[in-house]
Amino acid sequence: MMSKLLVIAEGRDGALRNVSFEAIAAAKKIKSDAEIVGVVLGKDDLEDKANELIYHGADRVVTIAHEKLQNYTSEGYGQAVLAIVNDESPDGIVMGHTSIGKDLTPKLAAKLDTGLVSDVVDIEVNGDRVEYTRPIYSGKAFEKKIITDGLTFVTIRPNNIPILDRDESRSGDITTKEVDVADIRTIVKDVVRKASKGVDLSEARVVVAGGRGVKSADGFKPLYELAEVLGGAVGASRGACDAEYCDYSLQIGQTGKVVTPDLYIAVGISGAIQHLAGMSNSKVIVAINKDPEANIFNIADYGIIGDLFEVIPLLIEEIKAVTV
Ligand code: FAD
């Protein structure tokens, strides 16, 4: 019998987050011949999002439109996903290892008395054996998990599994499911985004992160300029956040966001273990620091020893020169 995997999509600012497409690619890796069923939840206007999932590899999509699903709540989304799981009886459920994924999947896995492999960065398949790779000890080691039986939830870390090519010629059924979402005790009155507009930090391909060495909120301006020329996002160490140079929503590390961009530029950051926990799996790390003994140089692929206020303008100038 053909197996079936559900992919729970996530939206932000009216569009689907990239990790939704990465989750489809992950599902295809888990079982290349499985039927991939996308799930889109929200208040209304879900058809475009459903189509996007199909263009990115989903075979069909189930949507639930309900005013109580306008904003994420564990109770609302939990009830909706549970209703779809009961209908579809999937063999696995994949979604992003995002704030929502981290909240929703353990609760549902516990409710359904089943397993969860979280924060997956790679999937390898050998015959029927699927190996999930996930970082442990704050990214200092990796473990491989093998699930032999039963429905399993899988959350994937953004930016690790390449999405499939978008193909607008693909088509698939979009079914709208009616669900009577019961009373939700959490009432979301408003969603206020603290992070700056533009590229989402946790999904950015390039991150320019500033530390206490940036010295002031104004000192972050060249970092924003560098991030802009590179099409990236700005992040920060806790040192910079504690010093009120920037908002805590930018914090990367053990108690902040975990990022895995293609390029991470650490500017005026010493490289404390708690910071490394949030960025050490970045593909290429560049460190700019005036202290040649700074710990960040131990994990950097490229190091620039110098004053950031001299180095960053030069970098911006050079990058502009080669990209114009
Ligand atoms: P510093 O350690 O002060 O380093 C500043 C660096 O800037 C120095 O290396 C200096 O040489 C360099 N510098 C100064 N001026 C210049 C210049 N002009 N040009 C170039 N370089 C310059 N930290 C996090 O980042 N994320 C976390 O999630 C996190 N969680 C934590 C959780 C716990 C429980 C604890 C105890 C700590 C946590 N920390 C976290 C804090 C962490 O231990 C460090 O204190 C913090 O990362 C230091 O930030 P920093 O590197 O910006 O500052």
Side-chain angles (χ1 to χ4, degrees):
M1 203 177 74
M2 192 184 184
S3 48
K4 188 193 289 181
L5 297 172
L6 287 191
V7 170
I8 302 166
E10 241 187 87
R12 190 178 188 225
D13 298 334
L16 285 179
R17 293 186 65 176
N18 214 38
V19 73
S20 311
F21 309 132
E22 292 170 357
I24 292 176
K28 286 261 184 216
K29 270 189 156 197
I30 293 168
K31 197 132 183 43
S32 58
D33 60 353
E35 182 187 27
I36 310 292
V37 182
V39 173
V40 184
L41 309 176
K43 187 179 169 216
D44 44 29
D45 292 336
L46 305 182
E47 200 175 320
D48 286 352
K49 290 178 184 156
N51 276 320
E52 277 305 320
L53 290 184
I54 291 167
Y55 299 156
H56 284 88
D59 296 302
R60 62 184 174 88
V61 176
V62 181
T63 66
I64 299 182
H66 197 291
E67 60 173 2
K68 287 181 185 159
L69 299 177
Q70 177 171 15
N71 291 306
Y72 173 78
T73 59
S74 351
E75 282 173 296
Y77 271 50
Q79 289 172 40
V81 173
L82 215 49
I84 296 176
V85 171
N86 288 336
D87 266 12
E88 299 281 344
S89 305
D91 301 287
I93 299 164
V94 188
M95 79 176 295
H97 193 69
T98 57
S99 311
I100 291 180
K102 282 186 255 185
D103 184 62
L104 185 65
T105 53
K107 284 180 186 162
L108 288 179
K111 218 168 191 135
L112 292 163
D113 196 18
T114 185
L116 161 65
V117 193
S118 65
D119 203 10
V120 169
V121 294
D122 195 17
I123 297 166
E124 273 175 70
V125 180
N126 290 311
D128 280 349
R129 213 169 97 130
V130 183
E131 277 184 7
Y132 299 95
T133 305
R134 58 187 302 277
I136 50 172
Y137 304 125
S138 300
K140 283 196 279 305
F142 291 91
E143 67 170 0
K144 290 192 179 213
K145 294 254 184 214
I146 297 162
I147 308 297
T148 49
D149 199 15
L151 168 73
T152 306
F153 284 82
V154 176
T155 59
I156 55 155
R157 186 183 280 198
N159 269 352
N160 282 273
I161 297 175
I163 65 172
L164 306 172
D165 288 340
R166 184 177 184 275
D167 177 0
E168 265 194 54
S169 69
R170 283 180 55 82
S171 60
D173 276 356
I174 299 173
T175 325
T176 305
K177 186 173 163 52
E178 298 290 326
V179 172
D180 185 19
V181 182
D183 277 346
I184 297 173
R185 285 167 294 181
T186 314
I187 298 165
V188 180
K189 297 217 161 169
D190 197 7
V191 177
V192 182
R193 292 217 183 280
K194 281 181 142 189
S196 58
K197 287 203 169 18
V199 185
D200 178 357
L201 179 56
S202 50
E203 294 199 330
R205 292 273 163 208
V206 177
V207 172
V208 180
R212 215 176 339 235
V214 172
K215 294 191 174 67
S216 66
D218 266 359
F220 262 86
K221 282 184 185 158
L223 276 69
Y224 276 100
E225 204 183 329
L226 179 58
E228 199 182 326
V229 294
L230 292 169
V234 170
S237 70
R238 179 156 143 191
C241 301
D242 284 347
E244 298 183 2
Y245 303 160
C246 59
D247 192 85
Y248 278 102
S249 57
L250 300 190
Q251 186 184 320
I252 291 166
Q254 188 182 314
T255 44
K257 291 195 167 77
V258 175
V259 296
T260 328
D262 294 338
L263 174 63
Y264 189 91
I265 307 180
V267 185
I269 292 177
S270 59
I273 189 98
Q274 296 89 353
H275 186 75
L276 304 189
M279 47 64 74
S280 61
N281 295 127
S282 303
K283 284 158 202 107
V284 175
I285 298 170
V286 176
I288 303 170
N289 198 304
K290 65 180 185 184
D291 174 8
E293 301 296 322
N295 189 47
I296 193 76
F297 288 125
N298 291 327
I299 62 147
D301 299 285
Y302 300 95
I304 302 174
I305 301 166
D307 187 324
L308 68 94
F309 297 104
E310 289 168 19
V311 175
I312 300 274
L314 288 175
L315 272 180
I316 295 170
E317 204 179 296
E318 285 297 315
I319 293 164
K320 279 186 176 165
V322 294
T323 50
V324 172

